[in-house]
Amino acid sequence: MIVIPEEFKIACLKEHRELKSPVMMLFAADERASAGTFALRCVFLDRKNKEWAIVQTNLPAEKPAFPSLSKDMYSSILFEREIKEMFGIEPVGGLDLRRLALHNEVWPEGYYPLRKDFKAPDRSGNTAEKFNFTKVEGEGIFEVPVGPVHAGIIGPGHFHFSCAGEPIINLEIRLGFTHKGTEKLFEGHSPAQKIGLSECIAGDSAFAHSFAYCTALEKINGISVPGRASYLRALFLELERMYNHANDIGGMATDVGFSFPAALASIIKEKILRLNDALCGSRYLKGINIPGGVAKDIDRKLVIEKIKPIVRDFNELKNILYSNVSFMDRVEGPGMLRKKTAEDLGITGLAARASGIGIDLRCLFSEVHTTCGFKPSVEETGDALARLTARINEFEESARLVNFIADYLPDGNLSSPAEANKQGSAIGCAEGWRGPVLYWVSVDNKGKLDRVKIVDPSFKNWAGLSFAVLGDIIPDFPLCNKSFDLSYSGGDL
Amino acid sequence: MFNILKNRLLKGVVTEKDKEIEALGTELKKQIFNKFGRAFSFREVDTGSCGACESEIISATNPIYDISRFGVHVAASPRHADALVITGPVSKNMLLALKDTYDAMPAPKYVITAGNCALNGGIFKDSYYVENGVGNILKVDAHIPGCPPTPTQIIISLLTFLKNL
């Protein structure tokens, strides 16, 4: 749906209310060369019709601006900040217009990287500017800044706690430390060349990202994926979920100082990584997806043989955790993310399902999953335990699906023949282990990528973490953080 | 408690008895013993990696590879580290933090890059927001190749680095 700029806000709010969907994507594209305007698109999830609802408006090339949506629809706020810093398009009346990824300290004002006529500034760094953290004032309030370099082997982020006594009364998370200008790197290249880049958006979701990217390309070119390839993709997607969930469950045990199950979980993770390697030659499932299908076939007997001991180990892990009173006491309660808060922030994926929002793209867009009788795991309480339980349930469901698919795998081609790239645009999606990975891909009339917008679930879910820890104590923060387990790179792009 | 005990007894030692890793590890241990006095500690800094390198460095410390049995330890602070292991192509936002972390280390200190991005920017090379690898900022003493480097590769590269030291 294309509307005039004045009606953009009303149209978006209407979709938001009718579809009961948060903003899934809100992004701009520089279409000044072809249409003389900046295009602004807002994407909602239409669960009933199993499709994406897009509201588009075209903004003038001179002084582009649009009325901010964030007061009426809070889930748009991060996207608006991103549009402002990347395109210089003003969300008029926005609640927060501070920069996200291009830090004030290093990037001078007035350089908008995603504009087509962007030229890098001559020098960066030492701009003498500062980031304004939210100030909490009052007697006895103290601040604890943490990061960007942390004590563990983990990505960089800055956590700014304001505490009164022990409880956290505000947490501001400043990210952007892993910003690499990824979206710009896609532009101007042939789509098939950049699959490798999509696998490096979030290294632990390599498959989900390349899957979503390839789905978008297939939609643009009108290619259908052969049955065997669809099943193989679903299988790899579940394997990726399994090794990451095992890693997270182990991480939560580590963060409460319970090292035995943590070690057991890392053994499970290593076993799955080795299975991945044996199946496709890549521990992180890279190099499998191609537009039109998959590049590699698997040995199904190997899957069935190897998954058995993994499931056995996982049952042991589950028993150890659930039967340990002190562990359960630690995970029950902290990191409470209420359903209303999650809805307002537009939290997606596993974190949303643990707070009672039962949306899983596998039920909506994956035929394979519906055929296999996939059941999403939804928890109601929204605390760290709910996310742990959701992960445990998803791991078990994934193991069942992997077994089922390996057993059932239909014969046929691995991919449809490649065709010349058509002009067009489409949304590709995949339910990765963190949540929905979304790609908007637009190809120009020369068959080159014009704009690629990526939304990793981490982008919005970080805000969920900063609300979830309120009222908890700092020693519980690592546990809460791990229960979300978000990607720095995926959020910062 | 009973679950843990049962699991522990039934599983036994899971650490890899792979001949290649054992041989490499024994050599590594000898080198560390001679040159660093029992333990070689490194601090990891992510300057914008996608997360896969971190995942593999963690894998190298899991019970199957268990590099700490050869004397390689991960330090929580740069003050306790002999070397920095740096991943990622160095995002402009991490430049200052990387330099500060390096300055916080006591001499003698070494810099090791892990993964293709840290070498020259890798797949993110020539983006507007990356510094195209660590070599443009700090003097690099060794490199662990791969995207991401496997745990075995990490052990091999650390051994080569220590041998040449």
Side-chain angles (χ1 to χ4, degrees):
Chain A
M1 177 167 58
I2 301 180
V3 297
I4 56 170
E6 288 76 22
E7 284 172 10
F8 181 66
K9 185 173 177 172
I10 299 165
C12 286
L13 292 177
K14 186 166 167 271
E15 294 283 0
H16 172 59
R17 268 194 301 270
E18 281 178 6
L19 301 173
K20 293 195 174 59
S21 157
V23 177
M24 299 299 284
M25 298 173 103
L26 171 63
F27 59 97
D30 184 352
E31 295 176 0
R32 285 177 297 173
S34 56
T37 52
F38 286 102
L40 190 65
R41 294 182 180 87
C42 192
V43 180
F44 299 91
L45 174 62
D46 184 348
R47 271 181 279 171
K48 208 171 128 206
N49 298 316
K50 300 186 178 180
E51 60 182 27
W52 301 99
I54 307 174
V55 181
Q56 184 186 338
T57 188
N58 296 317
L59 305 172
E62 290 301 316
K63 288 196 180 163
F66 65 100
S68 164
L69 308 169
S70 56
K71 265 184 198 158
D72 303 278
M73 192 166 51
Y74 195 75
S75 52
S76 70
I77 192 159
L78 291 170
F79 293 107
E80 290 183 358
R81 288 172 71 179
E82 190 182 49
I83 289 170
K84 182 169 190 290
E85 67 175 352
M86 293 295 168
F87 287 92
I89 299 175
E90 187 78 21
V92 181
L95 291 175
D96 188 351
L97 299 174
R98 291 174 301 170
R99 293 202 219 153
L100 278 173
L102 309 173
H103 285 183
N104 308 53
E105 293 90 334
V106 300
W107 193 254
E109 194 64 53
Y111 290 88
Y112 305 116
L114 288 180
R115 286 191 177 197
K116 295 284 179 197
D117 54 0
F118 161 73
K119 282 196 180 63
D122 296 334
R123 58 184 293 276
S124 57
N126 302 326
T127 56
E129 297 256 339
K130 277 216 160 126
F131 183 77
N132 291 321
F133 283 100
T134 311
K135 262 255 177 283
V136 179
E137 287 174 335
E139 198 184 319
I141 302 277
F142 63 96
E143 293 179 337
V144 184
V146 184
V149 179
H150 298 271
I153 304 175
I154 191 173
H158 182 84
F159 300 91
H160 200 90
F161 296 94
S162 302
C163 302
E166 285 225 79
I168 301 165
I169 53 175
N170 188 47
L171 164 62
E172 184 159 16
I173 306 176
R174 191 189 190 195
L175 297 167
F177 291 96
T178 66
H179 180 63
K180 300 178 281 289
T182 314
E183 288 178 348
K184 188 84 175 173
L185 286 173
F186 279 92
E187 293 177 9
H189 291 272
S190 156
Q193 272 178 1
K194 289 290 163 186
I195 296 172
L197 183 57
S198 73
E199 287 167 345
C200 289
I201 308 294
D204 46 17
S205 303
F207 191 83
H209 273 269
S210 61
F211 185 3
Y213 178 60
C214 287
T215 317
L217 295 178
E218 285 147 13
K219 270 200 215 166
I220 294 172
N221 290 335
I223 308 175
S224 63
V225 179
R228 190 178 177 85
S230 299
Y231 274 85
L232 284 173
R233 280 181 172 178
L235 182 129
F236 285 123
L237 194 65
E238 296 310 320
L239 282 173
E240 185 168 85
R241 195 179 318 279
M242 284 171 72
Y243 84 73
N244 280 301
H245 280 349
N247 181 46
D248 283 346
I249 294 164
M252 286 177 75
T254 306
D255 286 338
V256 298
F258 196 10
S259 55
F260 186 84
L264 184 55
S266 68
I267 295 170
I268 297 172
K269 181 189 175 190
E270 181 65 25
K271 281 185 179 171
I272 304 172
L273 289 177
R274 286 184 176 189
L275 172 62
N276 291 347
D277 195 22
L279 288 176
C280 68
S282 164
R283 284 161 63 90
Y284 290 85
L285 301 170
K286 293 181 175 187
I288 298 169
N289 276 310
I290 50 170
V294 291
K296 285 165 187 163
D297 207 349
I298 61 154
D299 177 359
R300 51 206 276 182
K301 280 201 194 108
L302 187 72
V303 179
I304 296 171
E305 180 201 329
K306 295 279 182 188
I307 214 82
K308 262 193 201 132
I310 291 170
V311 172
R312 205 166 50 227
D313 278 355
F314 189 80
N315 281 332
E316 299 265 345
L317 174 67
K318 193 173 95 174
N319 288 339
I320 292 172
L321 292 178
Y322 278 165
S323 65
N324 190 292
V325 180
S326 60
F327 175 78
M328 292 306 278
D329 189 44
R330 279 296 298 277
V331 294
E332 194 181 345
M336 184 74 77
L337 182 66
R338 285 172 215 292
K339 189 176 179 186
K340 178 76 172 71
T341 316
E343 279 172 348
D344 288 347
L345 293 171
I347 303 299
T348 53
L350 184 128
R353 290 195 287 281
S355 292
I357 304 172
I359 301 176
D360 193 315
L361 297 190
R362 285 174 288 175
C363 303
L364 301 174
F365 296 100
S366 172
E367 224 171 274
V368 178
H369 283 91
T370 19
T371 318
C372 298
F374 165 72
K375 281 193 192 68
S377 162
V378 184
E379 297 292 317
E380 296 298 329
T381 46
D383 57 352
L385 178 61
R387 286 184 288 278
L388 176 74
T389 313
R391 273 187 217 288
I392 289 176
N393 293 343
E394 285 203 357
F395 185 98
E396 289 174 336
E397 179 69 1
S398 294
R400 185 188 73 79
L401 287 171
V402 167
N403 244 327
F404 186 92
I405 294 171
D407 200 33
Y408 177 76
L409 199 60
D411 291 329
N413 291 337
L414 288 179
S415 64
S416 305
E419 289 172 38
N421 291 308
K422 289 182 191 140
Q423 183 180 3
S425 56
I427 291 176
C429 66
E431 183 79 25
W433 62 279
R434 286 191 182 94
V437 174
L438 307 175
Y439 271 69
W440 161 272
V441 180
S442 148
V443 177
D444 67 13
N445 54 12
K446 296 189 193 81
K448 306 280 186 207
L449 293 165
D450 185 52
R451 170 90 169 102
V452 176
K453 172 68 201 151
I454 304 159
V455 181
D456 185 90
S458 309
F459 181 65
K460 283 195 287 177
N461 286 8
W462 277 113
L465 173 63
S466 67
F467 278 87
V469 298
L470 298 184
D472 292 332
I473 56 176
I474 292 185
D476 274 339
F477 175 73
L479 173 70
C480 297
N481 187 13
K482 200 68 196 175
S483 74
F484 279 86
D485 199 24
L486 303 170
S487 164
Y488 294 85
S489 181
D492 296 340
L493 295 174
Chain B
M1 189 62 212
F2 178 69
N3 278 326
I4 297 179
L5 209 59
K6 190 181 94 186
N7 194 281
R8 176 69 189 80
L9 291 173
L10 288 179
K11 244 193 176 57
V13 177
V14 297
T15 308
E16 189 108 290
K17 286 288 167 232
D18 185 281
K19 272 196 188 124
E20 191 200 352
I21 293 175
E22 275 300 300
L24 286 168
T26 316
E27 181 64 25
L28 188 63
K29 197 172 176 177
K30 214 171 86 192
Q31 292 286 340
I32 290 174
F33 197 90
N34 291 337
K35 289 173 181 163
F36 284 90
R38 291 177 189 275
F40 168 74
S41 303
F42 70 82
R43 169 90 280 263
E44 196 263 353
V45 178
D46 175 346
T47 65
S49 97
C50 66
C53 291
E54 278 67 38
S55 181
E56 284 298 57
I57 295 171
I58 294 170
S59 292
T61 65
N62 73 22
I64 292 175
Y65 294 98
D66 193 18
I67 52 168
S68 63
R69 72 192 149 127
F70 307 130
V72 181
H73 292 295
V74 184
S77 161
R79 301 256 187 239
H80 306 155
D82 299 307
L84 278 187
V85 171
I86 305 172
T87 62
V90 190
S91 165
K92 284 190 191 295
N93 291 339
M94 273 306 284
L95 200 54
L96 182 65
L98 175 62
K99 285 179 183 164
D100 283 355
T101 310
Y102 181 76
D103 290 343
M105 287 169 71
K109 49 190 171 181
Y110 303 96
V111 172
I112 302 169
T113 51
N116 297 348
C117 300
L119 182 66
N120 59 5
I123 203 158
F124 301 104
K125 198 168 185 239
D126 295 332
S127 162
Y128 63 88
Y129 220 71
V130 304
E131 299 284 339
N132 291 341
V134 180
N136 297 328
I137 298 136
L138 302 172
K139 189 185 151 288
V140 178
D141 300 289
H143 175 64
I144 309 173
C147 183
T150 59
T152 315
Q153 184 61 50
I154 293 172
I155 296 172
I156 293 173
S157 298
L158 284 180
L159 181 60
T160 321
F161 159 67
L162 287 162
K163 270 186 180 166
N164 295 337
L165 208 62

Short mmCIF file of all heavy atoms in Angstrom, two decimals, chain A residues 341-386:
data_model
loop_
_atom_site.label_atom_id
_atom_site.label_comp_id
_atom_site.label_asym_id
_atom_site.label_seq_id
_atom_site.Cartn_x
_atom_site.Cartn_y
_atom_site.Cartn_z
N THR A 341 4.78 -5.25 28.22
CA THR A 341 6.04 -4.59 27.87
C THR A 341 6.59 -5.19 26.59
O THR A 341 7.03 -4.46 25.69
CB THR A 341 7.08 -4.78 29.00
OG1 THR A 341 6.44 -4.58 30.25
CG2 THR A 341 8.24 -3.84 28.85
N ALA A 342 6.57 -6.51 26.50
CA ALA A 342 7.10 -7.17 25.32
C ALA A 342 6.34 -6.76 24.07
O ALA A 342 6.92 -6.53 23.01
CB ALA A 342 7.05 -8.69 25.51
N GLU A 343 5.02 -6.63 24.21
CA GLU A 343 4.21 -6.23 23.05
C GLU A 343 4.55 -4.80 22.63
O GLU A 343 4.70 -4.51 21.44
CB GLU A 343 2.72 -6.33 23.40
CG GLU A 343 2.19 -7.75 23.28
CD GLU A 343 0.76 -7.91 23.80
OE1 GLU A 343 0.26 -6.95 24.46
OE2 GLU A 343 0.18 -8.95 23.55
N ASP A 344 4.65 -3.91 23.63
CA ASP A 344 4.94 -2.51 23.31
C ASP A 344 6.30 -2.35 22.65
O ASP A 344 6.47 -1.55 21.74
CB ASP A 344 4.88 -1.65 24.58
CG ASP A 344 3.46 -1.48 25.07
OD1 ASP A 344 2.55 -1.80 24.28
OD2 ASP A 344 3.26 -1.03 26.21
N LEU A 345 7.28 -3.11 23.14
CA LEU A 345 8.63 -2.98 22.58
C LEU A 345 8.76 -3.70 21.25
O LEU A 345 9.74 -3.53 20.54
CB LEU A 345 9.65 -3.55 23.56
CG LEU A 345 9.85 -2.81 24.89
CD1 LEU A 345 10.72 -3.62 25.81
CD2 LEU A 345 10.47 -1.45 24.65
N GLY A 346 7.78 -4.54 20.94
CA GLY A 346 7.87 -5.31 19.69
C GLY A 346 8.87 -6.44 19.79
O GLY A 346 9.54 -6.77 18.81
N ILE A 347 8.98 -7.04 20.98
CA ILE A 347 9.91 -8.15 21.17
C ILE A 347 9.46 -9.33 20.31
O ILE A 347 8.26 -9.59 20.16
CB ILE A 347 9.93 -8.57 22.67
CG1 ILE A 347 10.31 -7.40 23.55
CG2 ILE A 347 10.86 -9.76 22.91
CD1 ILE A 347 11.65 -6.81 23.29
N THR A 348 10.44 -10.01 19.71
CA THR A 348 10.10 -11.12 18.81
C THR A 348 10.83 -12.38 19.23
O THR A 348 11.73 -12.35 20.06
CB THR A 348 10.49 -10.79 17.36
OG1 THR A 348 11.87 -10.40 17.36
CG2 THR A 348 9.66 -9.69 16.77
N GLY A 349 10.42 -13.46 18.62
CA GLY A 349 11.15 -14.72 18.76
C GLY A 349 10.98 -15.39 20.10
O GLY A 349 9.95 -15.27 20.75
N LEU A 350 12.04 -16.09 20.52
CA LEU A 350 11.97 -16.88 21.73
C LEU A 350 11.65 -16.04 22.95
O LEU A 350 10.86 -16.43 23.80
CB LEU A 350 13.29 -17.63 21.94
CG LEU A 350 13.26 -18.57 23.14
CD1 LEU A 350 13.70 -19.95 22.75
CD2 LEU A 350 14.07 -18.05 24.29
N ALA A 351 12.25 -14.85 23.03
CA ALA A 351 12.01 -13.98 24.19
C ALA A 351 10.53 -13.61 24.27
O ALA A 351 9.96 -13.54 25.35
CB ALA A 351 12.87 -12.73 24.09
N ALA A 352 9.89 -13.40 23.11
CA ALA A 352 8.47 -13.06 23.11
C ALA A 352 7.64 -14.29 23.50
O ALA A 352 6.69 -14.18 24.28
CB ALA A 352 8.05 -12.57 21.73
N ARG A 353 8.02 -15.45 22.98
CA ARG A 353 7.26 -16.67 23.30
C ARG A 353 7.34 -17.00 24.78
O ARG A 353 6.41 -17.55 25.35
CB ARG A 353 7.75 -17.85 22.45
CG ARG A 353 7.38 -17.71 20.98
CD ARG A 353 7.54 -19.01 20.24
NE ARG A 353 8.93 -19.37 20.02
CZ ARG A 353 9.70 -18.87 19.06
NH1 ARG A 353 9.21 -17.97 18.23
NH2 ARG A 353 10.94 -19.26 18.91
N ALA A 354 8.48 -16.64 25.43
CA ALA A 354 8.60 -16.90 26.87
C ALA A 354 7.75 -15.93 27.67
O ALA A 354 7.48 -16.15 28.83
CB ALA A 354 10.06 -16.79 27.29
N SER A 355 7.31 -14.82 27.03
CA SER A 355 6.45 -13.86 27.72
C SER A 355 4.99 -14.00 27.27
O SER A 355 4.20 -13.08 27.44
CB SER A 355 6.94 -12.43 27.46
OG SER A 355 8.17 -12.21 28.08
N GLY A 356 4.67 -15.09 26.65
CA GLY A 356 3.28 -15.36 26.33
C GLY A 356 2.81 -14.89 24.96
O GLY A 356 1.63 -14.94 24.67
N ILE A 357 3.73 -14.40 24.12
CA ILE A 357 3.33 -13.99 22.76
C ILE A 357 3.65 -15.15 21.81
O ILE A 357 4.80 -15.38 21.47
CB ILE A 357 4.08 -12.71 22.32
CG1 ILE A 357 3.85 -11.59 23.33
CG2 ILE A 357 3.65 -12.29 20.92
CD1 ILE A 357 4.69 -10.36 23.09
N GLY A 358 2.62 -15.85 21.42
CA GLY A 358 2.85 -17.12 20.70
C GLY A 358 3.03 -16.96 19.21
O GLY A 358 2.30 -17.55 18.42
N ILE A 359 4.01 -16.16 18.79
CA ILE A 359 4.24 -16.01 17.35
C ILE A 359 5.51 -16.74 16.95
O ILE A 359 6.57 -16.53 17.53
CB ILE A 359 4.36 -14.52 16.95
CG1 ILE A 359 3.09 -13.77 17.34
CG2 ILE A 359 4.62 -14.38 15.45
CD1 ILE A 359 3.15 -12.29 17.09
N ASP A 360 5.38 -17.63 16.00
CA ASP A 360 6.54 -18.36 15.50
C ASP A 360 6.38 -18.45 13.98
O ASP A 360 5.39 -19.00 13.49
CB ASP A 360 6.58 -19.76 16.12
CG ASP A 360 7.92 -20.44 15.87
OD1 ASP A 360 8.40 -20.37 14.73
OD2 ASP A 360 8.47 -21.03 16.81
N LEU A 361 7.32 -17.87 13.25
CA LEU A 361 7.20 -17.83 11.79
C LEU A 361 7.17 -19.22 11.17
O LEU A 361 6.71 -19.39 10.05
CB LEU A 361 8.33 -17.01 11.16
CG LEU A 361 8.44 -15.53 11.51
CD1 LEU A 361 9.45 -14.86 10.61
CD2 LEU A 361 7.10 -14.83 11.40
N ARG A 362 7.68 -20.20 11.90
CA ARG A 362 7.66 -21.56 11.34
C ARG A 362 6.23 -22.05 11.15
O ARG A 362 5.95 -22.85 10.28
CB ARG A 362 8.43 -22.50 12.27
CG ARG A 362 9.93 -22.34 12.18
CD ARG A 362 10.64 -23.18 13.20
NE ARG A 362 10.48 -22.65 14.55
CZ ARG A 362 10.91 -23.25 15.65
NH1 ARG A 362 11.50 -24.42 15.55
NH2 ARG A 362 10.74 -22.70 16.84
N CYS A 363 5.31 -21.56 12.01
CA CYS A 363 3.91 -21.96 11.86
C CYS A 363 3.26 -21.25 10.68
O CYS A 363 2.25 -21.69 10.16
CB CYS A 363 3.11 -21.61 13.10
SG CYS A 363 3.74 -22.33 14.59
N LEU A 364 3.82 -20.10 10.28
CA LEU A 364 3.15 -19.27 9.28
C LEU A 364 3.74 -19.45 7.88
O LEU A 364 3.02 -19.48 6.90
CB LEU A 364 3.27 -17.79 9.67
CG LEU A 364 2.68 -17.40 11.02
CD1 LEU A 364 3.01 -15.96 11.33
CD2 LEU A 364 1.18 -17.61 11.01
N PHE A 365 5.07 -19.53 7.80
CA PHE A 365 5.69 -19.47 6.48
C PHE A 365 6.42 -20.75 6.07
O PHE A 365 6.99 -20.81 5.00
CB PHE A 365 6.67 -18.29 6.41
CG PHE A 365 6.00 -16.96 6.56
CD1 PHE A 365 6.01 -16.28 7.76
CD2 PHE A 365 5.33 -16.39 5.48
CE1 PHE A 365 5.39 -15.05 7.89
CE2 PHE A 365 4.71 -15.15 5.60
CZ PHE A 365 4.73 -14.49 6.82
N SER A 366 6.46 -21.74 6.95
CA SER A 366 7.21 -22.94 6.59
C SER A 366 6.26 -24.13 6.41
O SER A 366 5.69 -24.65 7.37
CB SER A 366 8.24 -23.27 7.67
OG SER A 366 8.81 -24.52 7.39
N GLU A 367 6.10 -24.52 5.16
CA GLU A 367 5.23 -25.64 4.87
C GLU A 367 5.76 -26.92 5.49
O GLU A 367 5.02 -27.75 5.98
CB GLU A 367 5.13 -25.81 3.35
CG GLU A 367 3.73 -26.05 2.85
CD GLU A 367 3.70 -25.98 1.34
OE1 GLU A 367 3.56 -24.85 0.79
OE2 GLU A 367 3.87 -27.03 0.73
N VAL A 368 7.10 -27.05 5.46
CA VAL A 368 7.72 -28.26 5.99
C VAL A 368 7.37 -28.43 7.46
O VAL A 368 6.98 -29.51 7.90
CB VAL A 368 9.26 -28.19 5.82
CG1 VAL A 368 9.91 -29.42 6.41
CG2 VAL A 368 9.62 -28.04 4.36
N HIS A 369 7.48 -27.34 8.21
CA HIS A 369 7.21 -27.44 9.64
C HIS A 369 5.76 -27.80 9.93
O HIS A 369 5.49 -28.58 10.83
CB HIS A 369 7.60 -26.14 10.35
CG HIS A 369 9.06 -25.99 10.56
ND1 HIS A 369 9.89 -25.37 9.66
CD2 HIS A 369 9.87 -26.44 11.56
CE1 HIS A 369 11.14 -25.42 10.10
NE2 HIS A 369 11.15 -26.05 11.25
N THR A 370 4.84 -27.23 9.16
CA THR A 370 3.43 -27.58 9.41
C THR A 370 3.19 -29.04 9.05
O THR A 370 2.47 -29.73 9.77
CB THR A 370 2.48 -26.68 8.59
OG1 THR A 370 3.20 -26.07 7.52
CG2 THR A 370 1.88 -25.58 9.43
N THR A 371 3.80 -29.51 7.96
CA THR A 371 3.63 -30.92 7.59
C THR A 371 4.16 -31.85 8.67
O THR A 371 3.61 -32.91 8.92
CB THR A 371 4.39 -31.22 6.27
OG1 THR A 371 4.17 -30.13 5.38
CG2 THR A 371 3.92 -32.50 5.63
N CYS A 372 5.27 -31.44 9.29
CA CYS A 372 5.90 -32.29 10.29
C CYS A 372 5.20 -32.19 11.65
O CYS A 372 5.66 -32.78 12.63
CB CYS A 372 7.37 -31.93 10.48
SG CYS A 372 8.34 -32.16 9.01
N GLY A 373 4.13 -31.41 11.73
CA GLY A 373 3.40 -31.30 12.99
C GLY A 373 4.13 -30.49 14.04
O GLY A 373 4.09 -30.81 15.22
N PHE A 374 4.79 -29.43 13.59
CA PHE A 374 5.56 -28.60 14.51
C PHE A 374 4.66 -27.90 15.54
O PHE A 374 3.62 -27.36 15.19
CB PHE A 374 6.37 -27.56 13.73
CG PHE A 374 6.90 -26.45 14.58
CD1 PHE A 374 7.94 -26.70 15.46
CD2 PHE A 374 6.34 -25.18 14.53
CE1 PHE A 374 8.42 -25.67 16.27
CE2 PHE A 374 6.83 -24.16 15.33
CZ PHE A 374 7.86 -24.41 16.21
N LYS A 375 5.11 -27.93 16.79
CA LYS A 375 4.36 -27.22 17.85
C LYS A 375 5.28 -26.17 18.49
O LYS A 375 6.34 -26.51 18.99
CB LYS A 375 3.91 -28.19 18.92
CG LYS A 375 2.69 -28.98 18.52
CD LYS A 375 2.10 -29.70 19.74
CE LYS A 375 1.06 -30.70 19.32
NZ LYS A 375 1.64 -31.85 18.59
N PRO A 376 4.86 -24.89 18.47
CA PRO A 376 5.71 -23.88 19.11
C PRO A 376 5.63 -24.01 20.63
O PRO A 376 4.65 -24.53 21.16
CB PRO A 376 5.09 -22.56 18.64
CG PRO A 376 3.69 -22.88 18.33
CD PRO A 376 3.65 -24.30 17.88
N SER A 377 6.67 -23.51 21.28
CA SER A 377 6.71 -23.59 22.73
C SER A 377 6.43 -22.22 23.30
O SER A 377 7.16 -21.27 23.04
CB SER A 377 8.11 -24.08 23.12
OG SER A 377 8.36 -23.79 24.46
N VAL A 378 5.35 -22.08 24.04
CA VAL A 378 4.99 -20.78 24.60
C VAL A 378 4.91 -20.88 26.12
O VAL A 378 4.29 -21.79 26.66
CB VAL A 378 3.63 -20.29 24.04
CG1 VAL A 378 3.31 -18.90 24.56
CG2 VAL A 378 3.66 -20.28 22.52
N GLU A 379 5.59 -19.96 26.79
CA GLU A 379 5.55 -19.90 28.25
C GLU A 379 4.88 -18.60 28.65
O GLU A 379 4.84 -17.65 27.87
CB GLU A 379 6.98 -19.92 28.82
CG GLU A 379 7.75 -21.18 28.53
CD GLU A 379 7.19 -22.39 29.25
OE1 GLU A 379 6.85 -22.25 30.44
OE2 GLU A 379 7.07 -23.46 28.63
N GLU A 380 4.36 -18.54 29.86
CA GLU A 380 3.58 -17.36 30.25
C GLU A 380 4.32 -16.40 31.17
O GLU A 380 4.09 -15.20 31.14
CB GLU A 380 2.26 -17.78 30.91
CG GLU A 380 1.32 -18.55 29.99
CD GLU A 380 0.86 -17.75 28.78
OE1 GLU A 380 0.74 -16.52 28.89
OE2 GLU A 380 0.63 -18.36 27.71
N THR A 381 5.24 -16.90 32.00
CA THR A 381 5.73 -16.06 33.10
C THR A 381 6.71 -14.97 32.67
O THR A 381 6.76 -13.92 33.29
CB THR A 381 6.38 -16.93 34.19
OG1 THR A 381 7.25 -17.87 33.55
CG2 THR A 381 5.34 -17.64 35.01
N GLY A 382 7.53 -15.20 31.65
CA GLY A 382 8.42 -14.15 31.16
C GLY A 382 9.70 -13.95 31.94
O GLY A 382 10.44 -13.00 31.69
N ASP A 383 10.01 -14.82 32.90
CA ASP A 383 11.27 -14.66 33.64
C ASP A 383 12.37 -15.53 33.02
O ASP A 383 12.16 -16.16 31.98
CB ASP A 383 11.08 -14.99 35.12
CG ASP A 383 10.55 -16.40 35.33
OD1 ASP A 383 10.19 -17.04 34.32
OD2 ASP A 383 10.48 -16.85 36.48
N ALA A 384 13.55 -15.54 33.66
CA ALA A 384 14.66 -16.31 33.10
C ALA A 384 14.29 -17.79 32.99
O ALA A 384 14.67 -18.47 32.03
CB ALA A 384 15.90 -16.13 33.96
N LEU A 385 13.53 -18.27 33.97
CA LEU A 385 13.13 -19.68 33.93
C LEU A 385 12.23 -19.97 32.72
O LEU A 385 12.36 -21.01 32.08
CB LEU A 385 12.41 -20.06 35.23
CG LEU A 385 11.89 -21.50 35.30
CD1 LEU A 385 13.03 -22.50 35.19
CD2 LEU A 385 11.11 -21.73 36.59
N ALA A 386 11.36 -19.02 32.40
CA ALA A 386 10.47 -19.22 31.25
C ALA A 386 11.29 -19.34 29.96
O ALA A 386 11.01 -20.17 29.11
CB ALA A 386 9.49 -18.06 31.14
#
